[in-house]
Amino acid sequence: MTYSRRRRGLLAVTAVSAATVLAVTAAGGATAAPSAGPGEGKAASAEKNLSKERKGNYDARTPNAKTTYNRAAKVAGKESAASEKFRNSLGTQGVVELDPNTGTPAQVTKLNGFLTGRSAKKATDVALGYVKAHADVFKLTTADLATLKLRKDYVDDLGTHHIFWSQVVDGTEVFGNGLKANVTKHGELISIMGSPVSGLTSQAAARSAAPAVSADQARTTAAKDIDGTAKSASSKSSGNTVIWSNGDQAKPVWFHTADGLRKGWMTYVNAGGTKVYTHVIDAQTGGLLYRKDLNSEAGGDALVIDNYPGAPSGGKQHFENLYYEKWLPKTAKSLLDGTSVSAFADVNDDNQPNAGETVKIPGTKTGAEYKLVPFNSNPLCSPTTVCTWDPAKPDSWKTNMNEDVTNGFYLASNYHDWLAKPPISFTPAAGSFDAAGGDPVLLNSIDGAATAANGGPDANHINNANMSTPPDGIAPTMQMYLFGSPGDDTTVATSSSNSAEILYHEYTHGLSGRLVVDAGGNSTLNSIQAGSMGEAWSDFYALDYLASHNLEKDTVANGEMRIGRYDTAGGTIRTMPTDCRVKAKEAACVGVDGSQGGYTYGDFPTIGGSPEVHSSGEVWAQALWDLRERFGHTYALSIITRAMELSPADPTMLDMRNAIVQADLVASGGKNAGIIWQVFANRGMGWYAGVIDGGDSFPAEDFHIPPTGKAVTLTGTITDKDTGKPIPGALVYIGGHASGFAGGYTSTTDAAGKYKITNVAPGTYPKLVVASPGYELAVNPVTVKTGGTASYAVRRNWAAASGGGTIAAFNGPDYSDNACGPDGAIDNTQGLGWGSTTGDDDGNPTNVMIPKHIDIKLPSKLASIDSFKVDPSPVCGDAGSSSTGQYKIETSADGTTWATAQAGTFTAANRGKYNVLTPTGNAANVQYVRFTMLSPQVPDFATNCPAGNYGGCQYTDMTEIQVFGKK
């Protein structure tokens, strides 16, 4: 999410919540740990305490990336005969994804054709006509259709209409739910998406009580949730939206969860620095419903640089008139406040252009202004890698401050215009950043350059860059830091505003953040799969620009396209160049593990040593470069960009592969589908590749193109492993082809434990998933042939609430309103968990851990317990160090007398998976189990708390405990 200068093992804290990232790794047989934050895990000592750990994303609608499995099983089990007939009519490449909360489609489409034929009707009428014609599928009544309000209908450069309807009742919009449709210029319906709410009007009528929480209170709560403070500012109302003078906003929304409709406040809060988030706060309770980290970490005569100072091509300053290029309006006289960018030097990082931080418009009567002054700061400084400041000299950044801000303004303005042109066509209608639309890029050059006592940047404002991307109409913030530090001879001492690749990387986060959205226009790049593609797109578009403008050399050889070439003096901040083909022989194309050649999908969790968005995204970036080599830069950019607009919310890499196939269907009639499938199959993203959902850090790769054999049916029986009895109501689906969790390639077992998945293309699928309330999640490979069968026996998890387990007692605070209560530890998923405090109940950081425990009452007394499974990972977006470290498990027959059954210490290597623990004693005659968190995973706890920047100093969490045994 950030640009991230950190190398192997030194992994940036991501904006993806731990709960989302870790949701399914145990099911996939994970052994690697998720990425460590600064100062955590192996190889992190070089950056210890560099930055405060960030809170990640949270969504009460879909806490484990897409859903909890029992909801999905209920939705799939209610499928009508008419709905099944409709799904089968789409063929083996049809996609029907049902939302587990609403029961309505999150996506309906097909990969090898359109949903409807050509039509001369309006695009909106084509889409709504299809919805009305398939009422059994979409479940929208006439009253429901009346709640749809057309929000946007724009046409891309291929002539495709992208249409968005919000759902509105009583003047208030439903957050995220609605309808999206994509219709070709010939009137063919490509897809319908959006998860609309059925019965919205009646649900709203039942929630007529006035909000108990004000807009101001919601803003304050949101800022506090991210460990910030709402800035003192005046406010005014614009319609039903409250806007504060510092840019913060709050507006009322409806928020639909599995428990029904809630009133909420949607807030946009900038709490200083990189704390820029969107929240939805419950308007009745003040609890957290949604948190989205918007930050993505990575006369006019001016002297500017097209690449970086000293680059062989584009490395020399040249003249550019900012008025002539229409980047500055003619009314601008003194500040770099342009048509799409507003730039200043935010040296104190308060996100405001204070005195001494603004730069006057360059140009005098005698010529252009702001000539770059080179520095000789360290051995990497040279004529081909020019240094622009000296980290060892206080305030040395002031020498080139004017040049730095001006160059950043130039690069961002230029890239804005480039993205607006075909084949990318990122226009105002599509959500581009423009002053006329009220959302120019607020570019903070040399951000935080004066935050340290010595007149330089502190550790939080070095070697990085980031961009926040709020919804259309709210200005994003781009923060460009200085690179280099005293005594660091591995980094060119420069500024990220002087590096085109860094700035373009950050700006592209804005492109993907505005195009991969829900019906309400909110970015949905939430899970590790989607977040990894976000980083990959940023690398790809930046490198594509440089290569297509001959600023970087791109030949048939491998290993030339390197992100970070300037600040590493010829190296790369990734593990491998982006243009490394599979089985490439060049020395640059060697992975961290010593393997030769470019990456494939199965490398996702190991590219950087463990799953992490920057390194895991490299496989996607390389696949996109393969498309560029096969189709050329123009057509590749076209279908890659159009695919973002066609993608479902929070896509996996397989979802986005499908969207690219669809984009080619629109652009060429599908004549390139075979080549596209071969490109992705070569990278392990073939037809049989498998993922459980967007949070799956351990995808299964496959190298096959779509089969052509006749569709078959898969049947089987799901039973209890201990009793042999059938399990009814179990969800069974083929990962990667399940169309989410409820739709094609999905079934629910009947009373006899039998399931039937129809319309399956024959072959071997690596992830057949069995999920049932009260039972462990099972993932197994399956081969589907004519009349194929696959039966499985799964074990009862006696602690699961869905199987009768209850929380009998607990100590510490109750964060149930924020979906972090003790019940989360026994919800049988790795999406939710139990979050508590480290010290006192208020979460004040101290050097003392107050042990926190939960007591679980099992539904039956067990004669013996043979194992526990525990995932000690953090929840609710807390940082990695909030994971449980030292722990103790006790058992009891009556809930009064306790004895130790197991004890030990978890480390970062235990995160993100179920750890099997065998009792060492006291495992007989048990009806109560107590789990106690004795410490968080903060390194050197006594030293680092409270002074250190570790989330574990305040909060200690765990995700899940499971109990297995026999009655």
Side-chain angles (χ1 to χ4, degrees):
M1 306 295 278
T2 55
Y3 172 76
S4 186
R5 171 66 171 73
R6 302 173 174 110
R7 293 194 179 91
R8 301 176 185 173
L10 305 181
L11 304 176
V13 174
T14 73
V16 181
S17 74
T20 297
V21 171
L22 309 178
V24 296
T25 52
T31 56
S35 62
E40 294 185 72
K42 63 181 181 180
S45 59
E47 294 191 349
K48 188 173 183 179
N49 287 336
L50 283 190
S51 61
K52 176 111 176 173
E53 295 175 297
R54 298 178 63 79
K55 287 228 177 150
N57 299 328
Y58 172 73
D59 191 336
R61 298 169 300 179
T62 54
N64 67 331
K66 284 196 173 182
T67 186
T68 51
Y69 298 109
N70 55 335
R71 295 181 201 166
K74 291 178 182 178
V75 170
K78 293 179 180 178
E79 184 178 34
S80 66
S83 178
E84 182 180 359
K85 181 179 179 181
F86 165 78
R87 175 166 50 82
N88 288 338
S89 72
L90 298 180
T92 58
Q93 293 195 35
V95 178
V96 180
E97 177 182 351
L98 301 183
D99 186 287
N101 294 323
T102 65
T104 60
Q107 179 182 198
V108 175
T109 190
K110 57 192 301 186
L111 306 184
N112 56 351
F114 300 116
L115 296 174
T116 64
R118 293 192 174 198
S119 173
K121 294 180 180 179
K122 291 174 57 179
T124 51
D125 291 340
V126 169
L128 291 177
Y130 189 81
V131 171
K132 294 174 184 177
H134 298 287
D136 286 333
V137 177
F138 290 94
K139 299 180 176 63
L140 299 182
T141 65
T142 301
D144 293 325
L145 292 172
T147 67
L148 296 176
K149 179 181 179 182
L150 185 64
R151 188 178 67 81
K152 179 188 289 191
D153 177 2
Y154 74 91
V155 180
D156 65 28
D157 66 322
L158 296 179
T160 300
H161 282 260
H162 302 284
I163 313 166
F164 299 75
W165 288 272
S166 298
Q167 282 191 278
V168 180
V169 64
D170 296 335
T172 300
E173 183 177 319
V174 179
F175 179 84
N177 297 90
L179 271 185
K180 288 174 59 180
N182 301 291
V183 181
T184 73
K185 63 182 178 181
H186 300 300
E188 299 146 319
L189 182 61
I190 305 167
S191 58
I192 291 277
M193 306 175 184
S195 307
V197 179
S198 178
L200 176 61
T201 302
S202 59
Q203 290 190 53
R207 295 284 186 177
S208 59
V213 175
S214 68
D216 190 67
Q217 290 171 324
R219 174 180 179 248
T220 299
T221 299
K224 184 178 180 181
D225 175 69
I226 54 176
D227 300 319
T229 303
K231 303 298 182 183
S232 178
S234 59
S235 65
K236 63 179 181 179
S237 295
S238 176
N240 64 353
T241 303
V242 179
I243 302 174
W244 282 265
S245 57
N246 74 326
D248 289 358
Q249 297 188 18
K251 73 173 183 178
V253 294
W254 295 107
F255 192 91
H256 187 272
T257 72
D259 298 323
L261 203 62
R262 309 288 289 272
K263 279 186 175 179
W265 287 102
M266 184 180 79
T267 66
Y268 169 77
V269 172
N270 188 329
T274 62
K275 294 178 180 177
V276 185
Y277 284 74
T278 286
H279 288 77
V280 177
I281 303 298
D282 193 303
Q284 305 302 142
T285 67
L288 177 68
L289 294 174
Y290 178 88
R291 181 201 300 125
K292 171 69 175 177
D293 189 343
L294 300 177
N295 184 58
S296 292
E297 316 233 324
D301 289 344
L303 292 173
V304 295
I305 298 171
D306 287 323
N307 195 351
Y308 60 84
S313 179
K316 295 182 179 180
Q317 284 188 299
H318 64 89
F319 163 87
E320 198 74 62
N321 186 278
L322 305 182
Y323 287 110
Y324 179 78
E325 297 292 344
K326 298 182 180 179
W327 294 326
L328 282 174
K330 293 182 179 179
T331 54
K333 300 299 181 184
S334 58
L335 301 179
L336 290 175
D337 194 4
T339 54
S340 64
V341 180
S342 181
F344 60 95
D346 189 22
V347 299
N348 65 350
D349 191 22
D350 68 351
N351 297 320
Q352 300 293 323
N354 303 304
E357 292 183 327
T358 59
V359 174
K360 81 173 185 67
I361 294 174
T364 67
K365 292 181 179 180
T366 58
E369 279 191 293
Y370 307 146
K371 183 176 177 62
L372 179 67
V373 177
F375 278 75
N376 187 24
S377 313
N378 64 38
L380 296 182
C381 302
S382 73
T384 57
T385 49
V386 175
C387 293
T388 64
W389 73 300
D390 188 345
K393 294 182 179 180
D395 297 330
S396 66
W397 49 264
K398 292 181 178 180
T399 300
N400 286 312
M401 185 186 84
N402 289 342
E403 180 275 336
D404 189 278
V405 175
T406 302
N407 203 68
F409 178 87
Y410 162 71
L411 289 175
S413 299
N414 173 66
Y415 199 56
H416 166 276
D417 292 359
W418 166 252
L419 294 178
K421 299 174 183 177
I424 299 172
S425 301
F426 186 43
T427 62
S432 64
F433 308 109
D434 301 273
D439 57 355
V441 172
L442 305 179
L443 198 156
N444 301 351
S445 283
I446 53 175
D447 192 88
T451 49
N454 66 353
D458 63 21
N460 294 319
H461 296 87
I462 202 74
N463 292 349
N464 218 330
N466 61 69
M467 181 162 172
S468 66
T469 309
D472 198 4
I474 304 176
T477 299
M478 181 185 291
Q479 296 180 314
M480 307 301 289
Y481 298 162
L482 290 165
F483 274 59
S485 57
D488 179 8
D489 291 342
T490 66
T491 304
V492 175
T494 186
S495 159
S496 51
S497 284
N498 270 308
S499 173
E501 67 171 13
I502 297 178
L503 191 144
Y504 293 164
H505 172 103
E506 295 307 328
Y507 202 117
T508 305
H509 279 300
L511 173 72
S512 59
R514 286 279 171 92
L515 295 187
V516 186
V517 295
D518 61 23
N522 305 289
S523 172
T524 63
L525 297 176
N526 302 324
S527 67
I528 191 168
Q529 290 258 332
S532 296
M533 287 189 289
E535 294 301 329
W537 283 316
S538 286
D539 284 358
F540 173 80
Y541 279 80
L543 290 173
D544 171 84
Y545 178 92
L546 296 175
S548 63
H549 288 77
N550 297 314
L551 297 172
E552 289 294 340
K553 185 179 180 180
D554 178 31
T555 70
V556 294
N558 291 279
E560 295 173 324
M561 294 292 100
R562 305 182 181 202
I563 283 288
R565 185 188 301 273
Y566 174 34
D567 59 287
T568 61
T572 177
I573 62 167
R574 302 294 180 242
T575 68
M576 193 184 291
T578 300
D579 62 334
C580 286
R581 303 180 191 93
V582 175
K583 299 181 181 179
K585 300 299 183 182
E586 285 81 354
C589 300
V590 177
V592 173
D593 62 357
S595 59
Q596 185 72 52
Y599 295 119
T600 57
Y601 202 26
D603 295 322
F604 186 99
T606 59
I607 291 173
S610 61
E612 190 271 339
V613 291
H614 297 92
S615 55
S616 297
E618 290 186 51
V619 64
W620 184 253
Q622 290 182 351
L624 296 184
W625 205 264
D626 287 347
L627 289 175
R628 188 182 190 274
E629 291 187 339
R630 293 298 296 267
F631 294 114
H633 129 90
T634 301
Y635 191 72
L637 276 183
S638 177
I639 60 175
I640 290 167
T641 307
R642 300 289 75 81
M644 292 187 199
E645 297 166 313
L646 296 175
S647 81
D650 199 23
T652 67
M653 289 184 180
L654 301 184
D655 289 329
M656 194 56 66
R657 172 206 64 192
N658 294 347
I660 291 174
V661 171
Q662 287 186 301
D664 175 70
L665 179 65
V666 175
S668 76
K671 69 178 183 180
N672 301 306
I675 297 175
I676 294 171
W677 273 108
Q678 190 60 63
V679 166
F680 282 109
N682 190 48
R683 289 287 178 178
M685 288 178 265
W687 175 261
Y688 300 103
V691 289
I692 297 176
D693 58 24
D696 193 343
S697 299
F698 299 85
E701 64 185 12
D702 172 74
F703 302 93
H704 293 83
I705 62 174
T708 57
K710 184 179 178 180
V712 298
T713 297
L714 174 67
T715 61
T717 304
I718 307 302
T719 56
D720 185 305
K721 189 173 184 178
D722 293 321
T723 67
K725 294 180 179 180
I727 302 175
L731 180 70
V732 185
Y733 68 94
I734 296 176
H737 292 269
S739 303
F741 286 134
Y745 286 31
T746 302
S747 179
T748 300
T749 57
D750 61 17
K754 297 184 181 299
Y755 72 89
K756 181 177 70 173
I757 301 177
T758 61
N759 212 36
V760 179
T764 298
Y765 296 88
K767 291 196 176 187
L768 180 72
V769 183
V770 179
S772 178
Y775 286 82
E776 63 181 340
L777 189 73
V779 182
N780 295 281
V782 63
T783 298
V784 184
K785 299 179 180 179
T786 302
T789 61
S791 298
Y792 299 96
V794 295
R795 295 204 73 186
R796 175 79 180 267
N797 167 22
W798 292 98
S802 55
T806 57
I807 298 295
F810 69 97
N811 70 331
D814 185 356
Y815 289 133
S816 296
D817 284 345
N818 289 336
C820 299
D823 287 340
I826 59 171
D827 69 341
N828 211 33
T829 74
Q830 289 172 283
L832 297 178
W834 172 40
S836 192
T837 54
T838 300
D840 60 35
D841 287 0
D842 294 327
N844 295 314
T846 67
N847 287 328
V848 178
M849 171 72 191
I850 299 175
K852 306 297 190 306
H853 68 83
I854 50 172
D855 296 348
I856 305 163
K857 183 179 181 181
L858 310 181
S860 300
K861 184 171 289 187
L862 301 184
S864 63
I865 293 177
D866 55 62
S867 63
F868 306 99
K869 288 184 179 179
V870 177
D871 181 349
S873 307
V875 294
C876 275
D878 288 342
S881 64
S882 293
S883 306
T884 296
Q886 189 177 359
Y887 69 91
K888 179 170 64 175
I889 301 176
E890 299 169 275
T891 59
S892 173
D894 56 9
T896 301
T897 304
W898 298 90
T900 299
Q902 231 281 343
T905 302
F906 293 120
T907 68
N910 299 111
R911 299 181 205 163
K913 61 180 181 180
Y914 284 118
N915 298 272
V916 180
L917 309 172
T918 302
T920 56
N922 303 302
N925 194 32
V926 174
Q927 189 159 13
Y928 292 84
V929 174
R930 172 178 287 176
F931 182 84
T932 303
M933 301 185 294
L934 297 173
S935 75
Q937 290 184 18
V938 175
D940 194 4
F941 183 89
T943 299
N944 285 319
C945 295
N949 292 319
Y950 290 93
C953 297
Q954 292 180 276
Y955 303 107
T956 301
D957 309 336
M958 58 90 65
T959 293
E960 193 75 14
I961 180 171
Q962 298 185 337
V963 177
F964 299 93
K966 296 181 180 180
K967 294 174 65 174

